[in-house]
Amino acid sequence: MTEVLSPVLTYFSIILGWGYFAAWSLSFYPQVIENWWRKSVVGLSFDFLTLNIIGHTSYLVFNSVMFWSDDVFEQYKKQHGNPNATNPVELNDVVFSIHAVTLTAFTIFQTMIYERGGQTISVLARGISLALLLAINIGVFLVLGHRIEWVNFLQELGYIKLVITTIKYIPPAWINYKRKLTIGWSIGNIILDFTGGSLSVLQMVVNGINSGDWSPFYGDFVKTGLGFLSMGFDIIFIVQHYILYRKNNKKYHEELKAKQTEKPILQVIFESVWMKITKRKKIEEEEHLEEGEKTPFINGNDSAYYYYNTHETQITTKESINNSSENQL
């Protein structure tokens, strides 16, 4: 078991881990919400989504196997020559990967149902994706043929994730540059992604100080590289959104709000139900008017009956009914 310098730093590391897990996990939702609100995915790079689903799936396999397989972890410690090495993958890494694959797949689904403006996956992105998938398949065959160990295959997946992270942000940055807009590419996603990257790197620093083991910095090169690369691209997008294309974004939002006629979904549901109720009531009243029939309404007091008549309205009690009967006799 690895000795630690301070239990306080251990708990602080756990907090940082769940902190970047929360930030990175929440970073998927602003894009999903913006797509739903606009009913459009124009401005969202399909190349980015294609590479992203491959990258997150690779990262999911990397984290899951490294975290749950004792044999692979032993291979990892042997490879780094440190029998007391700590596992570079935490539970929150695994949970994040599962969540990331799910939300990325859902975002891809949105591109199939919302306005896309003629966007497609570029030939270059398709070629890169096929090359990466081919590399993964080759790695699987090498593992099954006992040519390499599982830890080597996981390293390959890590490299693939790192390559994808390096190039996947280029298409959306280029689209923003061509359109001179960042609309369609959620800035909320970027801010949360930057927060997650910062907390991820900080956690590894705290772990290194606390355990004296700095191998995760180069042992989990994926996590380290992802943190710095994500923050670098996030800075580019922040500059595009808040400085370079700020006026264009503001003008677009003003025009969109002026044309926006869609009501909140809860309001739409309420008004729809209310219209059905009132319409049904109106139809019943019209039927009563046509037939001239009497409709009784009974209040809480059994001694009184109320009648609605199309020609006249009268309120009678049991006593008045009895008196009328006696007079007739």
Side-chain angles (χ1 to χ4, degrees):
M1 183 175 180
T2 305
E3 296 183 0
V4 295
L5 180 65
S6 169
V8 176
L9 290 179
T10 300
Y11 288 118
F12 184 50
S13 173
I14 295 174
I15 293 173
L16 290 175
W18 286 105
Y20 82 72
F21 159 75
W24 271 348
S25 297
L26 291 174
S27 69
F28 290 91
Y29 290 94
Q31 186 66 62
V32 171
I33 294 172
E34 181 164 338
N35 294 342
W36 171 80
W37 183 71
R38 296 171 65 231
K39 298 297 184 290
S40 170
V41 292
V42 176
L44 175 60
S45 171
F46 289 10
D47 292 357
F48 168 81
L49 291 176
T50 303
L51 295 171
N52 212 25
I53 191 67
I54 297 174
H56 280 307
T57 303
S58 300
Y59 197 41
L60 172 60
V61 175
F62 177 92
N63 285 331
S64 300
V65 176
M66 183 65 76
F67 182 77
W68 275 305
S69 175
D70 294 333
D71 292 337
V72 173
F73 183 48
E74 288 299 323
Q75 293 175 9
Y76 169 84
K77 291 191 289 186
K78 181 179 178 181
Q79 185 183 62
H80 291 87
N82 185 1
N84 296 321
T86 56
N87 195 324
V89 178
E90 305 286 346
L91 176 60
N92 51 271
D93 295 319
V94 180
V95 177
F96 164 76
S97 296
I98 297 173
H99 181 267
V101 171
T102 303
L103 266 293
T104 302
F106 182 77
T107 307
I108 292 174
F109 170 74
Q110 287 184 313
T111 66
M112 301 176 184
I113 62 175
Y114 293 146
E115 179 188 357
R116 52 198 296 174
Q119 295 180 111
T120 58
I121 304 172
S122 69
V123 176
L124 179 60
R126 293 179 186 181
I128 294 174
S129 299
L130 289 175
L132 294 174
L133 292 175
L134 179 61
I136 293 173
N137 288 327
I138 292 174
V140 171
F141 282 116
L142 290 175
V143 170
L144 296 178
H146 303 289
R147 299 291 183 178
I148 61 175
E149 293 184 325
W150 276 106
V151 69
N152 301 121
F153 174 67
L154 294 184
Q155 283 182 330
E156 178 191 354
L157 293 180
Y159 283 122
I160 288 175
K161 172 60 176 172
L162 200 57
V163 168
I164 289 177
T165 302
T166 304
I167 63 177
K168 73 177 183 179
Y169 288 113
I170 297 177
W174 176 250
I175 288 178
N176 292 344
Y177 169 75
K178 286 175 60 180
R179 299 173 68 225
K180 299 297 185 289
L181 280 172
T182 59
I183 304 300
W185 178 248
S186 174
I187 191 61
N189 164 33
I190 300 306
I191 293 174
L192 287 169
D193 188 65
F194 183 82
T195 302
S198 302
L199 294 177
S200 174
V201 173
L202 180 59
Q203 184 197 45
M204 287 188 289
V205 173
V206 171
N207 288 343
I209 294 174
N210 195 31
S211 65
D213 177 21
W214 294 92
S215 63
F217 261 104
Y218 52 88
D220 190 1
F221 60 92
V222 180
K223 191 174 180 180
T224 309
L226 289 180
F228 286 110
L229 276 174
S230 296
M231 288 188 292
F233 276 106
D234 289 339
I235 292 173
I236 293 175
F237 290 121
I238 290 172
V239 171
Q240 284 184 324
H241 184 82
Y242 289 107
I243 300 177
L244 297 180
Y245 311 133
R246 180 180 179 182
K247 292 182 179 179
N248 293 345
N249 291 336
K250 184 178 180 181
K251 182 179 179 181
Y252 179 91
H253 278 300
E254 290 175 350
E255 294 177 353
L256 184 64
K257 288 180 180 179
K259 297 178 181 179
Q260 187 72 19
T261 58
E262 184 179 357
K263 299 177 182 178
I265 185 65
L266 292 178
Q267 183 179 348
V268 172
I269 295 174
F270 175 79
E271 291 182 353
S272 176
V273 173
W274 179 252
M275 286 180 63
K276 289 181 179 180
I277 294 174
T278 55
K279 185 177 180 181
R280 181 178 180 182
K281 183 178 180 181
K282 185 176 180 180
I283 292 174
E284 291 177 352
E285 291 177 353
E286 290 176 351
E287 290 176 350
H288 296 328
L289 288 173
E290 291 175 358
E291 298 174 1
E293 65 183 37
K294 296 180 180 180
T295 306
F297 296 90
I298 304 176
N299 72 349
N301 187 357
D302 290 338
S303 64
Y305 293 85
Y306 297 88
Y307 291 89
Y308 173 81
N309 190 278
T310 58
H311 302 291
E312 61 179 347
T313 303
Q314 58 181 1
I315 302 177
T316 61
T317 64
K318 289 182 178 180
E319 294 178 357
S320 63
I321 294 174
N322 294 333
N323 292 335
S324 177
S325 298
E326 292 176 359
N327 293 334
Q328 289 178 2
L329 292 174

